Amino acid sequence: MALTGRAALLSALGSIPVGILEPGWTGILAVNGPLALACACDYALAAPVRRLLLTRSGDTSVRLGDTANVTLTVTNPTRRPLRAQLRDAWPPSAWQPGTETAASRHRLAVPPGERRRVTTRLRPTRRGDRQADLVTIRSYGPLGLFTRQSAHKVPWTVRVLPPFTSRKHLPSRLARLRELDGRTSALTRGEGTEFDSLREYVPGDDTRSIDWRATARQSSVAVRTWRPERDRHILLVLDTGRTSAGRVGDAPRLDASMDAALLLAALASRAGDRLALLAYDRRVRALVQGSTGGDVLPSLVNAMATLEPELVETDARGLTTTALRTAPRRSLMVLLTTLDAAPVEQGLLPVLPQLTRRHTVLVASVADPHIARMAQARGNAEAVYEAAAAARAQDERRRTAEQLRRHGVTVVDATPEELAPALADAYLALKAAGRL
């Protein structure tokens, strides 16, 4: 059988490989003199790896589910050509399962005094900061008998942002917002609290909007038109306590809450309202204030990127105190939390009057679609028991929501896919009714 590569060379030199020379560099120790000379020459001609210069460039942030490109520039300041294999190591969550080996390893050849670039494509599976690990380079001699190997620390951080999958609902909600603002031909009549203009009465108009003084000055009946309030204050409060860690589908409840908060923030910023964000469990995990206009959404996304559920019971009194301090003026306070009976009855309800006395309060909660499917199950005794348990859980959530409504709170309870648009609709309804 014909031999190729190093096997053919070893056979030609009549040698027997016997092992590895020492840790840190590998090769083949032979009992044949000519082979020993060839190995020594191969080692001597391999480019030294410790003298290589490495720098990074590329993406510093990426949305979850998208691809980030991080470029590694390798400069060879030596007089020997570099023939190498390179491994750019990152945390396991920086890759899709099964893709790390192919994505992190590169072959490169760098002539003396030149540089080459290799690009590592990351596709993270979790939010947060992903920091680069060691870059390991293995330099080969021209015969491929010996290698020099060294690891380099080349720092780089890629922040993985929330995916904001609900942005697909933004165009339809902006269209409704334009109707409320009177920027389309379908002007919303008799809603809002800020006077906009006068126009002629048409059948179906609210008679309470008739301007009798203007009517007396002209031959036709005049009515006032209104536009929704602008420059209102909205505080988004994310409960990051233990209930936010419960998984609904493939993600924690906190992720669905953040997605809904982002859609509301995008919509409210277009409406000219001011937004702030507070993430709290037993202490402040994130706080965003003072951002305006186009800076609002990037600031919120960046603050949410590193948030993780904390396995502690949320301190409702501390949350209330911090929220009131964060929003000293009358605001719409959107609390994204649970509707489970115990946390609400023992934690939120006792302190709720402090919030509703000064602010308009909206509670949004993530419902588990698996509970709804269980409630429809039939066919055997086990399925019937599951349906009964699901029906009881749904009834408890309805009772808890009703308790909140009796305190003047607007409640949105929806599945992860439906929560963001439902919350946006509730905001538009409050704005149209002049309750902000």
Side-chain angles (χ1 to χ4, degrees):
M1 183 175 62
L3 299 176
T4 59
R6 278 183 286 180
L9 178 61
L10 294 174
S11 176
L13 294 174
S15 61
I16 302 174
V18 296
I20 296 176
L21 293 176
E22 66 178 58
W25 58 288
T26 62
I28 300 172
L29 178 63
V31 297
N32 183 282
L35 177 61
L37 179 60
C39 291
C41 292
D42 199 45
Y43 173 74
L45 293 174
V49 290
R50 295 184 184 277
R51 294 175 57 189
L52 299 176
L53 304 176
L54 285 78
T55 57
R56 289 190 187 273
S57 60
D59 296 330
T60 56
S61 64
V62 62
R63 289 196 182 278
L64 183 65
D66 292 343
T67 300
N69 294 322
V70 179
T71 299
L72 192 66
T73 302
V74 181
T75 303
N76 180 12
T78 71
R79 298 181 178 180
R80 304 171 194 165
L82 174 67
R83 309 170 189 86
Q85 285 187 337
L86 180 148
R87 179 176 182 263
D88 189 6
W90 290 75
S93 59
W95 323 89
Q96 292 291 322
T99 64
E100 176 181 0
T101 300
S104 64
R105 286 166 170 76
H106 310 274
R107 286 185 176 275
L108 74 159
V110 187
E114 297 188 15
R115 61 186 179 185
R116 295 289 186 271
R117 294 183 177 90
V118 295
T119 299
T120 301
R121 289 178 171 80
L122 308 177
R123 193 175 177 85
T125 57
R126 291 179 56 191
R127 286 182 297 99
D129 290 339
R130 298 293 169 264
Q131 297 180 344
D133 205 342
L134 296 176
V135 176
T136 304
I137 300 179
R138 180 175 293 174
S139 172
Y140 290 88
L143 301 178
L145 299 177
F146 272 83
T147 64
R148 300 170 183 259
Q149 180 171 305
S150 179
H152 299 254
K153 186 67 176 177
V154 191
W156 194 260
T157 301
V158 174
R159 173 157 289 189
V160 186
L161 307 174
F164 192 15
T165 56
S166 63
R167 63 181 177 271
K168 62 187 177 185
H169 299 290
L170 185 58
S172 62
R173 270 62 190 181
L174 287 176
R176 292 180 56 186
L177 179 64
R178 286 192 292 269
E179 292 180 4
L180 290 177
D181 279 343
R183 288 197 291 263
T184 70
S185 58
L187 180 67
T188 302
R189 299 186 296 270
E191 297 177 336
T193 60
E194 295 185 3
F195 174 73
D196 181 50
S197 61
L198 292 173
R199 61 169 176 78
E200 187 175 347
Y201 173 86
V202 295
D205 284 339
D206 189 343
T207 56
R208 292 173 297 180
S209 297
I210 296 176
D211 190 317
W212 296 108
R213 291 186 178 181
T215 299
R217 293 194 298 267
Q218 58 189 40
S219 59
S220 60
V221 178
V223 295
R224 304 184 190 95
T225 62
W226 310 87
R227 61 173 177 264
E229 307 93 326
R230 301 180 67 84
D231 199 30
R232 293 305 190 255
H233 291 255
I234 300 174
L235 176 61
L236 302 171
V237 183
L238 286 173
D239 179 356
T240 56
R242 65 169 183 83
T243 57
S244 67
R247 299 189 72 84
V248 178
D250 295 330
R253 281 186 167 89
L254 179 60
D255 285 29
S257 297
M258 290 193 298
D259 193 54
L262 288 175
L263 179 62
L264 177 57
L267 183 60
S269 63
R270 297 286 188 91
D273 293 332
R274 298 176 180 270
L275 288 116
L277 170 73
L278 170 66
Y280 192 93
D281 41 71
R282 288 188 173 275
R283 63 181 180 87
V284 176
R285 302 291 177 177
L287 180 62
V288 177
Q289 289 178 290
S291 298
T292 58
D295 296 333
V296 172
L297 204 59
S299 298
L300 295 185
V301 168
N302 193 57
M304 291 178 182
T306 56
L307 287 178
E308 295 292 344
E310 302 293 331
L311 299 181
V312 296
E313 194 71 38
T314 299
D315 178 10
R317 293 189 179 277
L319 185 150
T320 301
T321 301
T322 307
L324 291 173
R325 186 168 59 247
T326 305
R329 298 179 57 182
R330 179 171 179 80
S331 307
L332 169 63
M333 191 169 293
V334 181
L335 178 57
L336 294 118
T337 185
T338 182
L339 278 181
D340 292 347
V344 171
E345 292 175 358
Q346 299 174 17
L348 181 60
L349 283 178
V351 298
L352 193 58
Q354 300 177 43
L355 298 177
T356 55
R357 189 179 304 121
R358 186 186 304 177
H359 303 289
T360 300
V361 180
L362 190 158
V363 171
S365 181
V366 182
D368 190 346
H370 181 63
I371 300 296
R373 290 193 295 269
M374 286 176 56
Q376 303 299 321
R378 299 293 186 273
N380 54 51
E382 182 179 356
V384 171
Y385 281 120
E386 289 181 353
R392 180 175 180 179
Q394 290 176 325
D395 188 53
E396 287 182 352
R397 289 180 72 88
R398 283 192 290 267
R399 286 201 304 268
T400 302
E402 187 57 37
Q403 285 181 291
L404 293 173
R405 291 188 181 99
R406 284 198 292 269
H407 285 79
V409 175
T410 301
V411 179
V412 176
D413 185 22
T415 61
E417 293 77 15
E418 299 171 349
L419 180 64
L423 181 58
D425 291 342
Y427 161 77
L428 291 172
L430 291 171
K431 179 174 280 288
R435 292 182 56 194
L436 298 187

